[in-house]
Amino acid sequence: MNGIRFLDGLSGIAPSDWDAMVPDGNPFVSHAFLAGMEAQGCLREDYGWRPYHLAIFDGERIVAAAPTYLKGNSHGEFVFDWSWAAAWERAGGDYYPKLLVASPYSPVPGPRLLVRPGADADALRRQLTAALVAEADRLGLSSVHANFLPETDLDAFDERWLARADYQFHWHNRGYADFDDFLAALTAKKRKNIRQERGYAQASGLTLEMRGGDTLGDAEWRQIHALYELTFDMKGNHAALTSRFFRHLGHAMGANVQVAMARDEHDIVAMALFLRGGDTLYGRYWGASVEVSGLHFELCYYRGIEYAIREGLARVEPGAQGEHKLARGFLPTLTHSRHYIAHDGFRRAVAEALVAEARHREAYRAELLTHSPYANR
């Protein structure tokens, strides 16, 4: 008989048992990433995060799970429901806490309903979504949200869950031989602009390189984290990820962490941190203490594209938002989320809002594609 449990952390689950349920080695739902956030001080209740992971056991063997959190706010999610929360609280309800199935601080599409290979995958995924609804109802919560879902997870959500979608900008490898081969697929104007941006960065006098996490020492990780913090400080935001977590990623994931960096003699003055999983390179964090024309694009985009071509990866996903990515070869790609709203009347109101949102979204995509950087659209 399968047993459903909610766990207050992943420390009691063997990394090999958890990772056996992660398809394609997706780094953002790996044990190293999720448990590392818990152990290294990134997830705290005063930040709005309380681990509450859903797991299904066959005896003492974990066979299915969903990385789940009790959330006291909507920070660090990137599927924005602030307006829903405000409407519900104006009506006298408590929107928080809510249940969230996600990878914290990571607007990255990937598996959320994890199942051990060989198990009855479809049935277990449906059992996971049913258990989330039942737990929200038992606790009297307003809602459950599952963000950045892959298409393989979608059929597990029944009609009680509202469908929502958005677009990110992803780069797709069309079998390019090298970076120049990629440039050849673009319009002449976009090709010229990218070469100009790369030229600015390369003429800056800084040393540009891309390094694996297993080659970086603790002092270098401290510099990298300081640049990440500086970016948040400049925008008046809080940098939730700790220096200990950055070093943990380098030690635990090794070469699956890649850092594109710029050095001024011995000091790292700009960096973009990537994680690799399966056939995809994921761009995550950026920071710089200097202003150099083209440097952000060189480290965050072009170095990642070069790496993906060299390694034969299918995609580069550089994160959320940013129409400026379109001109640099990143095309709008659909992302998915599902939402269970406990109150029937509020669910209907949200459903109506999502219909209008979908119309605007598709009009936005159509407009974007008229500006495709590729010569053959």
Side-chain angles (χ1 to χ4, degrees):
M1 182 65 178
N2 289 343
I4 294 172
R5 306 180 201 171
F6 284 86
L7 312 175
D8 61 4
L10 292 184
S11 60
I13 302 295
S16 59
D17 289 343
W18 182 271
D19 290 342
M21 302 183 295
V22 178
D24 299 326
N26 184 284
F28 294 95
V29 289
S30 68
H31 192 281
F33 189 86
L34 297 175
M37 281 202 169
E38 295 172 12
Q40 307 303 331
C42 305
L43 302 180
R44 298 174 8 193
E45 288 204 46
D46 58 324
Y47 291 175
W49 295 90
R50 176 184 162 193
Y52 199 68
H53 304 300
L54 169 58
I56 299 177
F57 289 83
D58 183 0
E60 291 305 309
R61 180 173 179 261
I62 190 169
V63 295
T68 307
Y69 302 87
L70 277 167
K71 282 295 265 86
N73 55 43
S74 293
H75 291 292
E77 298 178 21
F78 299 93
V79 175
F80 301 112
D81 64 345
W82 298 105
S83 62
W84 302 358
W88 187 236
E89 291 179 356
R90 281 197 303 270
D94 293 322
Y95 193 75
Y96 304 108
K98 63 181 183 180
L99 278 180
L100 173 71
V101 178
S103 178
Y105 309 116
S106 302
V108 178
R112 300 294 182 260
L113 306 178
L114 311 180
V115 178
R116 184 178 286 271
D120 188 345
D122 291 341
L124 283 170
R125 290 190 185 102
R126 289 193 296 270
Q127 192 173 355
L128 288 169
T129 60
L132 290 165
V133 168
E135 185 68 1
D137 290 345
R138 186 185 73 82
L139 296 175
L141 304 182
S142 69
S143 53
V144 190
H145 309 264
N147 291 352
F148 296 103
L149 296 162
E151 291 189 3
T152 51
D153 282 354
L154 298 182
D155 287 345
F157 294 87
D158 63 25
E159 68 281 353
R160 293 174 295 180
W161 296 80
L162 301 178
R164 195 180 191 188
D166 203 350
Y167 284 100
Q168 289 185 349
F169 295 85
H170 298 172
W171 179 86
H172 299 272
N173 190 348
R174 301 177 180 176
Y176 301 117
D178 52 30
F179 196 86
D180 283 339
D181 193 23
F182 155 61
L183 289 182
L186 304 180
T187 64
K189 181 179 180 181
K190 295 298 189 289
R191 185 163 56 245
K192 178 182 176 181
N193 289 345
I194 289 174
R195 284 179 172 150
Q196 187 176 57
E197 286 175 345
R198 299 205 81 183
Y200 290 147
Q202 290 160 3
S204 65
L206 300 173
T207 300
L208 307 178
E209 58 182 336
M210 195 150 180
R211 298 265 301 278
D214 53 347
T215 71
L216 298 170
D218 285 351
E220 290 171 306
W221 277 115
R222 283 193 291 272
Q223 291 184 60
I224 289 166
H225 183 267
L227 293 171
Y228 156 80
E229 279 192 316
L230 180 62
T231 297
F232 278 80
D233 291 343
M234 290 171 61
K235 295 180 179 180
N237 294 326
H238 173 68
L241 304 185
T242 64
S243 180
R244 290 185 291 130
F245 178 69
F246 271 42
R247 295 199 302 275
H248 162 79
L249 285 182
H251 296 151
M253 294 188 173
N256 284 334
V257 178
Q258 292 286 321
V259 184
M261 63 181 71
R263 290 182 184 270
D264 182 357
E265 296 183 355
H266 298 297
D267 294 328
I268 302 171
V269 296
M271 71 85 198
L273 189 148
F274 299 81
L275 295 183
R276 175 177 175 170
D279 62 357
T280 304
L281 184 69
Y282 303 92
R284 294 308 310 123
Y285 313 113
W286 153 259
S289 59
V290 296
E291 291 189 16
V292 174
S293 182
L295 187 60
H296 175 268
F297 303 128
E298 175 68 20
L299 298 185
C300 290
Y301 305 147
Y302 306 141
R303 291 280 161 159
I305 289 173
E306 279 190 328
Y307 177 90
I309 293 172
R310 185 170 65 250
E311 296 292 314
L313 302 182
R315 286 179 300 281
V316 178
E317 299 185 11
Q321 304 168 342
E323 288 89 345
H324 61 276
K325 296 168 185 170
L326 182 66
R328 293 161 181 91
F330 295 80
L331 294 179
T333 304
L334 198 64
T335 62
H336 304 276
S337 61
R338 293 293 183 268
H339 307 270
Y340 169 71
I341 307 294
H343 187 276
D344 288 341
F346 188 43
R347 187 187 313 162
R348 287 193 295 272
V350 171
E352 291 174 3
L354 289 178
V355 170
E357 182 182 89
R359 287 197 296 267
H360 291 298
R361 181 188 69 239
E362 293 311 305
Y364 169 68
R365 178 179 182 273
E367 171 63 20
L368 286 173
L369 289 179
T370 65
H371 303 285
S372 172
Y374 290 92
N376 294 323
R377 300 184 183 183

